[in-house]
Amino acid sequence: MKVLVAVKRVIDYNVKIRVKPDHSDVDLTNVKMAMNPFCEIAVEEAVRLKEKGVATEVVVATVGPKAAQEQLRTALALGADRAVHVETDERVESLGAAKALAKIVEEEQPGLTILGKQAIDTDNNQTGQMLAALTGLPQGTFASEVVVEGDKAKVTREIDGGLQTVELTLPAIVTTDLRLNEPRYAKLPDIMKAKKKPMDVKTPADLGIEVASKVKLVKVEPPAERQGGVKVGSVDELVDKLKNEAKVIS
């Protein structure tokens, strides 16, 4: 069984985000970029399936600028076999990414497609669901456990009330949650080997699609500074502040 994994290039989660002086976008000058953490979990799950003998090949794919090949090479170093890069300098929204991935699914015919449940830059949590809709495949989102047996996959999902287990008929789409696994670190020999692994570079035009965003970015603002806390001397004073100052109780 072939497993396809989608990855995304994002600002490293350790970096403090800066907004451009003209508020037109986030400032990416000299900013460290990395693979989206949820995508790392997706890659790890695919590699584990291969190590168990469930998967025979792991293919990673991304939609983004030429620099995104760095994240594909990272995924190859973590154990993926080959990569597909849909190269574009456009700002890609969830639907554009899903359209490109749908074409890759059509070409590759994977038994299982795994995505991170969301990217830490936009936090949309949309691409996996849109991909399932475009391909007509069953989906299991927010997976904390994935068990593949034959042509079925049992996905344990994290929901508000606890855990829910759904059974999917393969091929299917799965999006990963934090508790699914802990990604490994790439070893130096694997990083060197990854440089020689095949990477197929395409453009949206090659796939017959457009990925340009239909949403206009008007203005970017940093989050408001948090106000300092205060100590109260009694429960009555706390209740008074919550009622009259914060106005969160009545």
Side-chain angles (χ1 to χ4, degrees), residues 105-176:
V105 168
E106 183 181 326
E107 291 180 0
E108 296 287 345
Q109 293 293 306
L112 182 64
T113 302
I114 310 178
L115 305 86
K117 72 169 185 176
Q118 64 197 72
I120 62 171
D121 51 0
T122 56
D123 269 339
N124 285 335
N125 177 25
Q126 295 174 333
T127 306
Q129 292 90 327
M130 288 178 172
L131 178 59
L134 290 172
T135 57
L137 296 176
Q139 61 178 310
T141 55
F142 315 127
S144 60
E145 184 180 8
V146 178
V147 178
V148 178
E149 296 177 346
D151 66 342
K152 304 287 185 183
K154 288 186 178 180
V155 178
T156 300
R157 307 177 60 240
E158 296 190 356
I159 59 175
D160 290 342
L163 298 176
Q164 177 191 54
T165 300
V166 295
E167 185 177 80
L168 312 176
T169 300
L170 301 178
I173 311 291
V174 170
T175 69
T176 64

Side-chain angles (χ1 to χ4, degrees), residues 9-174:
R9 176 181 172 89
V10 298
I11 297 175
D12 188 279
Y13 68 91
N14 289 308
V15 173
K16 185 176 181 180
I17 307 298
R18 301 190 308 270
V19 175
K20 290 181 177 180
D22 62 358
H23 297 273
S24 62
D25 208 340
V26 173
D27 188 357
L28 298 180
T29 307
N30 298 321
V31 170
K32 181 183 178 184
M33 306 296 283
M35 190 193 305
N36 177 50
F38 288 100
C39 299
E40 288 184 341
I41 294 171
V43 172
E44 175 67 24
E45 191 65 20
V47 172
R48 290 188 185 189
L49 288 173
K50 185 182 175 185
E51 290 172 344
K52 292 176 183 176
V54 175
T56 55
E57 184 183 29
V58 176
V59 182
V60 290
T62 195
V63 185
K66 186 174 182 179
Q69 292 185 13
E70 177 186 354
Q71 281 63 53
L72 289 176
R73 292 294 177 193
T74 299
L76 293 172
L78 292 171
D81 298 295
R82 58 186 176 90
V84 179
H85 180 204
V86 181
E87 187 176 335
T88 177
D89 291 323
E90 298 279 359
R91 186 169 64 89
V92 182
E93 299 288 349
S94 303
L95 182 57
K99 286 180 178 178
L101 291 171
K103 289 293 184 180
I104 296 172
V105 168
E106 183 181 326
E107 291 180 0
E108 296 287 345
Q109 293 293 306
L112 182 64
T113 302
I114 310 178
L115 305 86
K117 72 169 185 176
Q118 64 197 72
I120 62 171
D121 51 0
T122 56
D123 269 339
N124 285 335
N125 177 25
Q126 295 174 333
T127 306
Q129 292 90 327
M130 288 178 172
L131 178 59
L134 290 172
T135 57
L137 296 176
Q139 61 178 310
T141 55
F142 315 127
S144 60
E145 184 180 8
V146 178
V147 178
V148 178
E149 296 177 346
D151 66 342
K152 304 287 185 183
K154 288 186 178 180
V155 178
T156 300
R157 307 177 60 240
E158 296 190 356
I159 59 175
D160 290 342
L163 298 176
Q164 177 191 54
T165 300
V166 295
E167 185 177 80
L168 312 176
T169 300
L170 301 178
I173 311 291
V174 170

Side-chain angles (χ1 to χ4, degrees), residues 169-218:
T169 300
L170 301 178
I173 311 291
V174 170
T175 69
T176 64
D177 215 330
L178 284 174
R179 263 66 61 181
L180 182 58
N181 61 53
E182 184 174 340
R184 69 193 70 190
Y185 290 99
K187 299 176 182 177
L188 182 57
D190 295 328
I191 295 173
M192 301 306 292
K193 291 177 185 176
K195 295 179 180 180
K196 297 182 180 180
K197 290 184 178 180
M199 182 180 299
D200 187 10
V201 180
K202 304 174 182 287
T203 65
D206 293 335
L207 300 176
I209 60 169
E210 291 184 4
V211 296
S213 174
K214 299 296 190 293
V215 178
K216 182 180 179 182
L217 182 60
V218 178

